[in-house]
Amino acid sequence: MGNAQPTVVPYEDFDVVADIKAIRKACKGMGTDEEAVISILANRSAAQRMEIKQAYFEKYDDELEEVLKSELTGNFEKAIIAMLDPPHIYIAKELRKAMKGAGTDEDVLVEILCTCTNQDILNIKEAYAQVHERDLEADIEDDTSGDVRNLLVSLLQASRDESYEVDEGLAEQDATSLFEAGEGRFGTDESTFTYILTHRNYLQLQATFKIYESLSGTDILDAIDSEATGTLKDCYITLVRCAKNPQLYFARRLNAAMKGAGTDEDTLIRIIVGRSEVDLETIKDMYLEKYDMTLKDALSSECGGDFKRLLLAILH
């Protein structure tokens, strides 16, 4: 986990006044200079983009988001607006969007909550309350049910051990518990799976999965595949994949968003914008290793126009 690399870092020669003037100019007159907007926003960190937003308002008495919304359209607009929110606020909005209206987009809840660090969870809960004046945990409880609800609420407690210590004895004990809760008996005891997958550190889980495999002769993912169904299965698989290699999990998500008919642009935006300052460089490496194609090439064939140019600029 320690070697994850971002694609976007703070811009060294950051000059907020020059940036807001350039953006102002790009949006003035007939048509918009999208290239200028992309070259600035894709090369500034989230914190620098917040400074740009603030300075723009102070100088021009206009909200930068409103100005850009009136100038841009479609997925390009969506992605740019995502970049103008602090990361945790953007994710809090995505969670709310996933739960609003009829039906819940559980894939989004799983992708976000199952991949968070404890600190991410705390920040997102705070951002959610701030933006929506609602309680994230209460909304998740209302919108989900049964074992999925128990698992997501457990994640929201942010009580995962985040050390790098491995306790072999505990790994044996947990592997045995998982085996007995799943394959070892008729029916699956979900609470055991949920507790272990939401509380143990990633290295500890890796050790547990190894022992599990030698105990049962089955890879943990195959066991989950045959034991669980629906969203609960997605949660377990996501948690296991994240414990093994979070960046490979995100590479898979990106690939799934581009596969088949139609492209899930919301997921592309969420991962590419959301992970750009965390581990996107490493996600690119994993994508190439897994799919024998660069992420840039995959996106180039799936997206077009300014949206494509922006995503490629963030990928560097």
Side-chain angles (χ1 to χ4, degrees):
M1 318 299 139
N3 56 2
Q5 296 298 317
T7 59
V8 173
V9 294
Y11 188 61
E12 276 186 19
D13 303 322
F14 182 48
D15 176 348
V16 73
V17 177
D19 284 352
I20 62 173
K21 284 183 176 163
I23 292 172
R24 184 74 172 178
K25 190 177 159 207
C27 297
K28 268 247 179 303
M30 290 294 289
T32 311
D33 180 358
E34 288 90 355
E35 291 285 330
V37 174
I38 292 172
S39 77
I40 294 172
L41 295 182
N43 291 293
R44 305 292 182 270
S45 66
Q48 289 172 336
R49 297 194 297 263
M50 295 318 111
E51 279 186 57
I52 290 171
K53 205 164 80 162
Q54 185 64 30
Y56 193 95
F57 180 70
E58 284 166 9
K59 182 160 176 64
Y60 303 114
D61 202 25
D62 265 337
E63 291 284 359
L64 181 56
E65 279 178 65
E66 297 310 317
V67 172
L68 290 171
K69 270 183 182 167
S70 67
E71 296 284 331
L72 314 175
T73 56
N75 292 306
F76 179 51
E77 177 194 340
K78 262 194 218 171
I80 288 283
I81 297 307
M83 294 172 78
L84 291 176
D85 269 328
H88 295 109
I89 299 266
Y90 165 60
I91 292 299
K93 288 179 178 175
E94 287 290 291
L95 286 169
R96 183 77 195 116
K97 195 170 82 188
M99 292 186 279
K100 264 177 91 158
T104 301
D105 187 344
E106 292 184 330
D107 277 1
V108 174
L109 302 185
V110 173
E111 176 204 297
I112 294 173
L113 298 177
C114 293
T115 60
C116 277
T117 64
N118 291 341
Q119 193 56 53
D120 287 336
I121 294 273
L122 300 175
N123 293 346
I124 290 165
K125 276 162 90 165
E126 194 180 315
Y128 193 90
Q130 183 192 329
V131 175
H132 303 299
E133 297 184 334
R134 303 173 67 93
D135 180 62
L136 177 58
E137 196 172 318
D139 280 354
I140 296 271
E141 284 189 349
D142 285 346
D143 261 66
T144 54
S145 59
D147 296 315
V148 173
R149 176 200 286 161
N150 296 342
L151 185 140
L152 295 177
V153 168
S154 177
L155 287 169
L156 288 175
Q157 306 319 303
S159 45
R160 185 186 296 285
D161 161 29
E162 288 182 337
S163 72
Y164 295 93
E165 314 284 308
V166 175
D167 175 339
E168 285 295 338
L170 180 63
E172 296 223 357
Q173 198 182 315
D174 281 350
T176 308
S177 300
L178 287 173
F179 180 64
E180 286 171 355
E183 295 179 88
R185 53 181 272 262
F186 183 71
T188 306
D189 173 10
E190 275 82 11
S191 61
T192 304
F193 267 83
T194 291
Y195 185 83
I196 292 170
L197 291 177
T198 59
H199 283 77
R200 304 291 186 242
N201 76 55
Y202 282 173
L203 292 178
Q204 180 71 32
L205 285 172
Q206 290 173 26
T208 305
F209 302 153
K210 274 207 182 78
I211 296 170
Y212 180 91
E213 191 168 348
S214 59
L215 264 182
S216 67
T218 312
D219 179 80
I220 186 83
L221 286 169
D222 294 333
I224 289 167
D225 199 40
S226 58
E227 291 295 324
T229 56
T231 303
L232 185 66
K233 173 154 101 176
D234 296 339
C235 289
Y236 287 161
I237 285 177
T238 301
L239 289 165
V240 169
R241 288 204 163 128
C242 271
K244 290 183 172 187
N245 183 334
Q247 290 75 37
L248 178 57
Y249 164 76
F250 285 116
R252 286 172 180 274
R253 275 291 283 172
L254 288 168
N255 181 259
M258 293 185 277
K259 266 195 4 210
T263 303
D264 175 0
E265 287 91 356
D266 285 356
T267 295
L268 298 183
I269 295 170
R270 204 169 40 249
I271 296 176
I272 289 171
V273 171
R275 306 305 298 185
S276 59
E277 287 182 70
V278 186
D279 54 6
L280 188 57
E281 190 60 47
T282 312
I283 292 170
K284 278 162 52 180
D285 295 342
M286 289 299 147
Y287 197 95
L288 178 60
E289 203 175 293
K290 171 102 183 113
Y291 298 106
D292 228 8
M293 180 185 209
T294 66
L295 182 52
K296 277 190 168 172
D297 286 347
L299 285 166
S300 291
S301 61
E302 287 296 325
C303 309
D306 293 314
F307 180 54
K308 171 167 102 177
R309 279 193 280 277
L310 174 63
L311 295 185
L312 296 184
I314 297 171
L315 285 179
H316 285 272

